[in-house]
């Protein structure tokens, strides 16, 4: 009856500890340690390339909060998120509903095609898209001119008004395949008899969608929104390779801002790793806050 | 079992054809950018900007030669290959071991470990890259492929662990007991009996890691900043854009060298790609 002591339990589980060790070391080195260090670096006045570093407390944070570029990048990241996630969720759902039809013979082919951009390297997509949207005979402009949709070429990536929507469009194109796959998985969880009922129902089908199928896939929707929202805040490679935040910082999202302050040396400016870390910490906390909020929302909906 | 709501009836041919034709046109526009870069890689610079057509007049294979040798894409290709293969091996072994004990055993501290792992999912990359760079420099492995490979393997293992843990937890206990009766120890049970049963997860995790390692950008671009020799393909093409800005066809060829291997892999192993991606919402 008497319970084993903790040391006894731990001794018996010695193999378990051995097995978790390699992965724990890797995670510790490349995930946990960097998080801790970035908090520490954020308190330093440090270029990152020399040994000289001065402890300056929260001055980096104070400077970030007073930098309009910081806040512009901050808001832009959220504009990016709110502009892409709903489009992906709705478009992905519509496509999934169609391609979930077993009768549609070419459905596997369409799925493959729509998923294709997902597997291609994001940096390459960014670079290729600078060609596609080039104002000098780029295919996008050629097509628009040939079909008389515009009379003069549009400088998609060179105009501060069009650059962000263009990058957002490319982002949706690149990752829509994943959203579609999520929805296809969700649709597979709807019980077969519900589908059969829908088949018999015929004309009243749309009601069945709204009142029966949608509530069944709703818990999925929340997980999908959560996953997609977080990934829409991690768009560094696409923007860095497409526009590098330009023109005139008009597509600079938070990660590009952090990268620029940490590594890019424009004429006369020094890289500032300490400051970049402060911006990164601030950003990380903001993202974590949003994730927590969504997690809370998810729990509430599940309970109902 | 698969379930389908077939609101498109084969008998209703007009509807069936309309939907099929719509998706055919949609698909063409959808992959046009990828077809465009493939065709551009075999054209002359002049022809690339000449029209919307996708069939080159004459196949210019020299573009690939220029990219492979002149722009060093050959070297970057092998760098990327090494990083990808080695990091896949590391990731499968370490997350497989971790998932095994998390999925099948209870031990003191397990809950804390899981809690820490889940928390790491939500931390954005932009915020940890600087200390990673610093750590590799301190360990003196920032200037060779070892550092980049280990960092690539260490970066995103959480979903893999959950996949392994979920699969291992569904294997019946009897198997393990039988192994114990036969006198197999902990490690032997794992390697000889358990791991072979998880082939589908091994395949899924490998594919996801290939995708991640081959296509990663932020980590390699930062690590190779002062060290062009260890660039990966993505970073190589990015640098190409800066250095040889006017060699459009060469850059298109470099892009094709980067994306084609993964696209071919995807076409052959589609099932595992899809399972890996869907695993994120099913769990």
């Amino acid at each position: 009856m008497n319970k084993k002591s903790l040391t006894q339990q731990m001794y018996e589980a010695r193999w378990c500890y051995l097995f978790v060790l390699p992965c724990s070391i890797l995670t510790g080195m490349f995930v946990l340690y960097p998080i801790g260090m970035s908090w520490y670096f954020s308190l330093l006045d440090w270029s990152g390339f020399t040994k000289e570093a001065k402890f300056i407390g929260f001055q980096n944070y104070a400077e970030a909060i007073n930098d309009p570029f910081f806040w512009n990048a901050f808001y832009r990241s959220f504009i990016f998120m709110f502009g892409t996630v709903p489009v992906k969720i709705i478009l992905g759902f519509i496509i999934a509903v169609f391609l979930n039809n077993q009768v549609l013979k070419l459905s596997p082919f369409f799925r493959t095609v729509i998923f294709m951009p997902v597997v291609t390297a994001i940096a390459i997509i960014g670079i290729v898209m600078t060609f596609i949207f080039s104002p000098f005979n780029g295919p996008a402009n050629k097509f628009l001119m040939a079909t008389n949709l515009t009379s003069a070429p549009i400088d998609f990536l060179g105009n501060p008004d069009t650059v962000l929507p263009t990058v957002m469009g490319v982002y949706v194109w690149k990752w829509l395949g994943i959203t579609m796959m999520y929805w296809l998985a969700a649709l597979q969880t709807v019980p077969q008899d519900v589908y059969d009922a829908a088949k018999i129902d015929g004309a009243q089908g749309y009601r069945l969608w709204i009142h029966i199928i949608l509530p069944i896939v709703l818990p999925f929707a929340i997980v999908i929104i959560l996953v997609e929202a977080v990934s829409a805040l991690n768009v560094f490679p696409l923007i860095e390779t497409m526009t590098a935040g330009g023109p005139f910082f008009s597509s600079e999202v938070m990660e590009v801002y952090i990268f620029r302050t940490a590594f890019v040396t424009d004429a006369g400016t020094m890289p500032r790793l300490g400051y970049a870390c402060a911006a990164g910490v601030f950003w990380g906390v903001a993202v974590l806050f949003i994730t927590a909020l969504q997690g809370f929302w998810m729990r509430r909906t599940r309970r109902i | 079992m698969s379930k389908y709501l077939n609101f498109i009836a084969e008998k209703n041919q007009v509807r069936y054809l309309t939907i099929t034709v719509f998706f055919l046109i949609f698909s063409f526009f959808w992959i046009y950018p990828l077809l465009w870069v493939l065709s551009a890689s075999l054209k002359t610079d002049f022809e690339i900007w000449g029209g919307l057509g996708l069939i080159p007049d004459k196949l210019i294979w020299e573009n690939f030669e220029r990219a492979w040798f002149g722009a060093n894409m050959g070297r970057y290709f092998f760098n990327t290959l090494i990083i990808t293969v080695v990091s896949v091996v590391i990731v499968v072994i370490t997350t497989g071991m971790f998932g095994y004990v998390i999925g099948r055993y209870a031990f003191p501290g397990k809950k804390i470990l899981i809690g820490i792992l889940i928390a790491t999912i939500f931390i954005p990359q932009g915020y940890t890259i600087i200390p990673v760079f610093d750590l590799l420099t301190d360990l003196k492995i920032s200037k060779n492929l070892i550092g980049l490979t280990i960092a690539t393997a260490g970066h995103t293992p959480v979903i893999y662990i959950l996949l392994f843990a979920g699969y291992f937890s569904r294997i019946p206990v009897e198997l393990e007991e039988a192994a114990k009766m036969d006198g197999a120890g902990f490690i032997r049970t794992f390697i000889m009996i358990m791991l072979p049963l998880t082939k589908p997860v091994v395949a899924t995790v490998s594919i996801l890691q290939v995708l991640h390692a081959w296509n990663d950008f932020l980590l390699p671009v930062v690590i190779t900043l002062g060290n062009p020799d260890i660039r990966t393909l993505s970073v190589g093409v990015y640098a190409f854009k800066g250095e040889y800005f006017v060699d459009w066809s060469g850059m298109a060829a470099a892009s094709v060298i980067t994306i084609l291997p993964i696209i071919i892999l995807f076409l052959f192993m589609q099932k595992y790609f899809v399972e890996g991606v869907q695993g994120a919402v099913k769990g």
Side-chain angles (χ1 to χ4, degrees), chain A residues 119-157:
Chain A
V119 304
T120 54
I122 183 78
I124 305 301
I125 295 292
I127 291 161
V128 168
M129 286 300 171
T130 60
F131 293 179
I132 301 276
F133 289 106
S134 163
F136 312 107
N137 285 326
N141 272 313
K142 270 232 159 77
F143 177 78
L144 290 175
M145 308 254 289
T147 49
N148 281 324
L149 286 169
T150 53
S151 51
I154 300 168
D155 192 0
F156 288 101
L157 299 175

Side-chain angles (χ1 to χ4, degrees), chain B residues 31-101:
Chain B
I31 49 165
Y32 183 85
L34 298 180
L35 297 176
W36 184 86
V37 68
L38 183 65
S39 110
S41 71
L42 294 165
K43 286 176 173 174
T44 60
D45 280 341
F46 179 74
E47 204 188 345
I48 288 178
W49 304 109
L52 288 167
L54 290 171
I55 315 290
D57 289 337
K58 199 175 142 242
L59 300 179
I60 315 285
W61 294 103
E62 288 79 26
N63 295 336
F64 281 91
E65 224 176 281
R66 233 167 37 250
W68 188 266
F69 298 105
N72 235 347
M73 294 306 284
R75 175 170 200 140
Y76 304 154
F77 183 89
F78 287 109
N79 286 346
T80 313
L81 195 65
I82 292 167
I83 292 168
T84 303
V85 171
V86 177
S87 79
V88 166
V89 172
I90 295 176
V91 158
V92 166
I93 292 172
T94 58
T95 61
M97 286 165 73
F98 198 108
Y100 176 59
V101 289

Side-chain angles (χ1 to χ4, degrees), chain B:
Chain B
M1 199 188 71
S2 297
K3 302 173 193 89
Y4 300 96
L5 171 58
N6 296 311
F7 62 85
I8 308 170
E10 234 168 330
K11 278 170 271 172
N12 189 340
Q13 284 195 345
V14 178
R15 197 182 201 185
Y16 184 85
L17 275 176
T18 317
I19 290 168
T20 302
V21 169
F22 170 79
F23 270 101
L24 276 176
I25 296 167
F26 181 77
S27 296
F28 175 74
F29 278 99
W30 197 258
I31 49 165
Y32 183 85
L34 298 180
L35 297 176
W36 184 86
V37 68
L38 183 65
S39 110
S41 71
L42 294 165
K43 286 176 173 174
T44 60
D45 280 341
F46 179 74
E47 204 188 345
I48 288 178
W49 304 109
L52 288 167
L54 290 171
I55 315 290
D57 289 337
K58 199 175 142 242
L59 300 179
I60 315 285
W61 294 103
E62 288 79 26
N63 295 336
F64 281 91
E65 224 176 281
R66 233 167 37 250
W68 188 266
F69 298 105
N72 235 347
M73 294 306 284
R75 175 170 200 140
Y76 304 154
F77 183 89
F78 287 109
N79 286 346
T80 313
L81 195 65
I82 292 167
I83 292 168
T84 303
V85 171
V86 177
S87 79
V88 166
V89 172
I90 295 176
V91 158
V92 166
I93 292 172
T94 58
T95 61
M97 286 165 73
F98 198 108
Y100 176 59
V101 289
I102 290 286
R104 295 192 73 85
Y105 294 93
F107 56 92
K110 180 179 164 179
K111 280 206 174 125
I112 302 170
L113 270 179
I114 296 177
I116 293 173
L117 278 182
I118 302 283
T120 59
I121 299 177
F122 300 109
I123 291 153
Q125 254 201 1
Y127 146 50
T128 58
I129 191 71
I130 299 156
V132 168
F133 177 69
D134 206 54
L135 176 69
L136 294 179
T137 312
D138 286 347
L139 293 173
K140 306 222 175 340
I141 48 174
S142 69
K143 292 202 185 314
N144 52 39
L145 283 177
I146 300 172
L148 191 48
T149 309
I150 298 177
T152 305
H155 234 221
T156 54
V158 180
I159 178 78
Y160 308 155
I161 292 173
L162 299 180
L163 285 171
F164 268 117
Y167 202 89
F168 275 123
S169 69
R170 287 194 293 273
I171 296 174
V173 196
E174 286 79 20
L175 268 172
E176 225 161 354
E177 280 165 357
K180 224 180 236 169
M181 297 266 242
D182 289 342
F186 196 90
I187 294 181
R188 241 181 83 194
T189 312
F190 174 69
I191 295 174
M192 307 296 282
I193 297 164
M194 290 310 200
L195 206 55
L197 290 172
T198 55
K199 267 184 201 144
V201 185
V202 171
T204 302
V205 167
S206 303
I207 292 276
L208 285 178
Q209 179 62 19
V210 166
L211 205 56
H212 168 73
W214 191 277
N215 293 345
D216 200 12
F217 182 68
L218 178 60
L219 183 72
V221 86
V222 171
I223 304 295
T224 64
L225 222 45
N227 205 351
D229 281 351
I230 57 166
R231 277 176 186 158
T232 60
L233 284 168
S234 282
V235 181
V237 179
Y238 182 60
F240 194 133
K241 192 184 167 192
E243 286 158 23
Y244 310 80
F245 195 72
V246 285
D247 187 1
W248 308 104
S249 52
M251 195 141 59
S255 301
V256 170
I257 291 170
T258 308
I259 63 180
L260 205 58
I262 292 289
I263 289 181
I264 291 169
L265 190 75
F266 163 65
L267 291 177
F268 281 102
M269 312 206 65
Q270 220 180 116
K271 198 180 113 198
Y272 296 108
F273 276 82
V274 171
E275 264 166 26
V277 164
Q278 290 181 338
V281 284
K282 277 181 180 163

